Amino acid sequence: MNRKNWTSEKIFTRLLNNKTQKTFWENVRELRKRPNEEVYNQAFKLADSESEKEKIIGIYVLAQLGFDPRFQQNKTVDLYFKLLENEKSPKVISAVLSSISHNNESLNENQISKLIEYKTHKFTDVRFELTLAISGLENENAIKTLIELSNDKDSDIRNWATFGIGNRLETDTEDIRNALWNRINDSDFETKSEAIVGLANRMDKRIKEVIISELKNGDYGTLLFEAILKLNDKDFLPYLIENLKIAKKDNDVIKNGWVLALKETIKELKNNERTTPYKIYA
C-alpha cells in the first residue's frame, strides 16, 4: 500500500520502529504533508518527551508541517527554544537547529542570542546546523556569527556560512566583504566559489581579476558562471570561449560535460547590456 494511504498513526508507529534513514525521511515527509491537529499534537508530544529518539522524530515532523504558513508555527518555535534550555544531546540540539532554519523568519533578539551560543560547540553537526539556522537573518549578531563560522575548520560549515553572508544577505559592509575575501583562496573549491559570487553580488570590481585567473586555470563551475553573469562584463568572453574550445576537445567526461553551460554563459553574456556599473570599493 502506498504510504500516502496509511493513517498518520501507522506512520508514527513506523517512525518509532524505523530501521533505515531512507524510510525515516520518507515517513517524515509524508506526515509533513498533513498539517492538521492530529499530526501536530502527536509530533508535539513526541518532541516534548524524555526519549531522544521520540524528540528527534517530533522535532523533524514539526519543522516543515504545512507550508506558507507552517501549521502553528509560533507554538512550534516556542517549543524548540524551550527544548534548547536544558538539552545536552548533540543529536537533539542539531535537530532543533536544523528545524529552526525552516522557521527563522520572525526570530527575536533573545532567540538569536540563544542560537549563537552554539557557535563554538565541539560537535561539528551542531555548528553546521547553527549556520543554517541563522543564515539569511538581517541581524547584526547573526551576521557577525556567520562571519566567524566562515572561518570554521570544517569545510561544510565554511561553505554554508560563506553562502549565508554572500548570497542570502542584502547587507553590504566592510566586514562582510573582508570575510568573503578571506575565503577567496579557500582549499574547498565550493567555498571559494561562494566567496566569488558573494563579492560579485556586491559588484566589487576587485573580483574581476580573480575570476579571470580561475578561467585561465580552467577552474570554472556553475557558481563562477553565476558571478560572471552578475558582473555582466564582456571582458570575460575571450576566456570563456577559450575554455569552451578546450572542453569540446577534452576526452574527460566531466570537462566535456561543461560544454553546454559554457555555451549558455557565453550566449547570455553576449546578449546582455550592462545596466549596473561596478561599485568602487578600495
Side-chain angles (χ1 to χ4, degrees), residues 74-245:
N74 292 337
K75 184 178 177 182
T76 297
V77 172
D78 287 343
L79 171 65
Y80 288 157
F81 281 95
K82 175 192 170 188
L83 293 175
L84 289 178
E85 288 176 8
N86 300 302
E87 188 56 59
K88 302 301 181 186
S89 164
K91 290 183 180 180
V92 175
I93 294 171
S94 295
V96 171
L97 295 177
S98 171
S99 298
I100 287 174
S101 72
H102 300 291
N103 299 274
N104 68 357
E105 305 95 307
S106 302
L107 298 182
N108 60 44
E109 196 67 46
N110 288 336
Q111 290 171 327
I112 293 172
S113 295
K114 176 62 182 175
L115 292 179
I116 63 180
E117 290 177 9
Y118 294 99
K119 66 182 181 180
T120 57
H121 199 281
K122 66 178 181 178
F123 282 90
T124 301
D125 285 349
V126 171
R127 300 195 311 279
F128 176 79
E129 298 299 351
L130 168 63
T131 304
L132 303 187
I134 61 175
S135 188
L137 299 180
E138 297 284 354
N139 173 277
E140 184 177 351
N141 288 327
I143 294 171
K144 182 179 178 182
T145 301
L146 275 181
I147 288 174
E148 292 178 42
L149 289 166
S150 72
N151 285 299
D152 197 273
K153 61 185 179 181
D154 182 84
S155 61
D156 286 335
I157 294 173
R158 294 199 309 276
N159 179 25
W160 282 92
T162 304
F163 168 71
I165 58 177
N167 252 318
R168 297 204 61 198
L169 294 173
E170 295 293 330
T171 303
D172 184 9
T173 66
E174 184 176 358
D175 285 343
I176 288 175
R177 293 202 187 206
N178 287 340
L180 294 171
W181 276 106
N182 286 339
R183 300 271 62 80
I184 286 298
N185 294 310
D186 198 281
S187 58
D188 179 70
F189 180 75
E190 195 166 343
T191 302
K192 175 174 69 173
S193 300
E194 288 290 0
I196 292 172
V197 172
L199 289 161
N201 285 340
R202 287 158 178 79
M203 301 304 290
D204 190 324
K205 69 175 183 177
R206 298 172 298 172
I207 200 61
K208 177 177 177 177
E209 291 306 315
V210 175
I211 294 174
I212 289 175
S213 177
E214 293 293 296
L215 290 172
K216 283 182 177 178
N217 294 329
D219 295 330
Y220 51 79
T222 302
L223 290 173
L224 194 72
F225 297 151
E226 181 182 333
I228 288 170
L229 293 176
K230 182 67 180 180
L231 294 179
N232 195 21
D233 190 326
K234 289 181 172 51
D235 287 348
F236 295 127
L237 282 171
Y239 304 100
L240 288 166
I241 292 169
E242 182 61 27
N243 274 288
L244 177 59
K245 290 177 182 177

Side-chain angles (χ1 to χ4, degrees), residues 3 10 27 227:
R3 192 175 264 96
K10 179 177 179 178
N27 288 326

Side-chain angles (χ1 to χ4, degrees), residues 12 15 28 31-32 34-48 54-67 69-80 83 95 99-100 102-103:
F12 273 116
L15 273 170
V28 166
L31 287 173
R32 286 172 170 177
R34 307 180 185 191
N36 56 55
E37 291 289 345
E38 177 195 1
V39 172
Y40 187 88
N41 290 339
Q42 181 61 23
F44 191 97
K45 181 180 178 182
L46 290 172
D48 202 25
E54 291 181 2
K55 280 184 181 180
I56 291 172
I57 290 170
I59 288 165
Y60 279 133
V61 171
L62 293 174
Q64 297 184 71
L65 185 59
F67 183 71
R70 304 280 184 214
F71 193 82
Q72 296 197 38
Q73 185 179 48
N74 292 337
K75 184 178 177 182
T76 297
V77 172
D78 287 343
L79 171 65
Y80 288 157
L83 293 175
S99 298
I100 287 174
H102 300 291
N103 299 274

